[in-house]
């Protein structure tokens, strides 16, 4: 998987919720900084496994979606996670 896959999925999920990077950082309890989120979204850095779990939990999406494992980028999927 390319860095751009996670980058795109992370950015789409965050923007779909209309959250800033700062807000997402706060939802991680400060574990992930705004600067790190920016680097993940631009593909400059690859998040480690624990970081993926924290991002997914904070965004209320699956790690499988972020990693692109059998899950395509699909707005209905994101809507599902927002309505639960």
């Amino acid at each position: 998987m390319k860095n751009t896959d996670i980058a795109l999925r992370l950015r789409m999920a965050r923007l779909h919720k209309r959250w800033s990077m700062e807000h997402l950082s706060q939802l991680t309890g400060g574990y992930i900084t705004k600067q790190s989120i920016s680097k993940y979204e631009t593909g400059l850095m690859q998040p480690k496994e624990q970081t993926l779990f924290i991002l997914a939990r904070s965004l209320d999406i699956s790690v499988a979606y972020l990693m692109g494992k059998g899950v395509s980028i699909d707005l209905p999927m994101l809507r599902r996670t927002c309505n639960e």
Side-chain angles (χ1 to χ4, degrees):
M1 170 180 38
K2 299 179 285 187
N3 286 359
T4 55
D5 294 341
I6 290 176
L8 178 61
R9 290 166 191 274
L10 175 59
R11 182 171 171 78
M12 285 186 65
R14 181 181 61 78
L15 292 177
H16 180 74
K17 294 201 181 247
R18 297 183 178 149
W19 290 349
S20 67
M21 290 180 200
E22 181 68 33
H23 182 71
L24 179 55
S25 174
Q26 291 171 357
L27 290 174
T28 70
Y31 180 81
I32 304 167
T33 65
K34 174 184 160 186
Q35 292 79 10
S36 291
I37 293 168
S38 175
K39 289 178 183 179
Y40 299 146
E41 288 188 4
T42 57
L44 293 175
M45 276 184 7
Q46 181 82 15
K48 295 182 179 183
E49 187 175 338
Q50 179 66 23
T51 302
L52 281 174
F53 284 110
I54 293 169
L55 286 168
R57 184 183 65 224
S58 298
L59 288 161
D60 193 27
I61 59 175
S62 70
V63 173
Y65 172 78
L66 280 177
M67 296 183 70
K69 292 191 175 183
V71 183
S72 62
I73 294 175
D74 184 22
L75 287 179
M77 178 191 169
L78 289 174
R79 276 188 231 111
R80 181 192 62 77
T81 61
C82 292
N83 294 329
E84 291 181 354

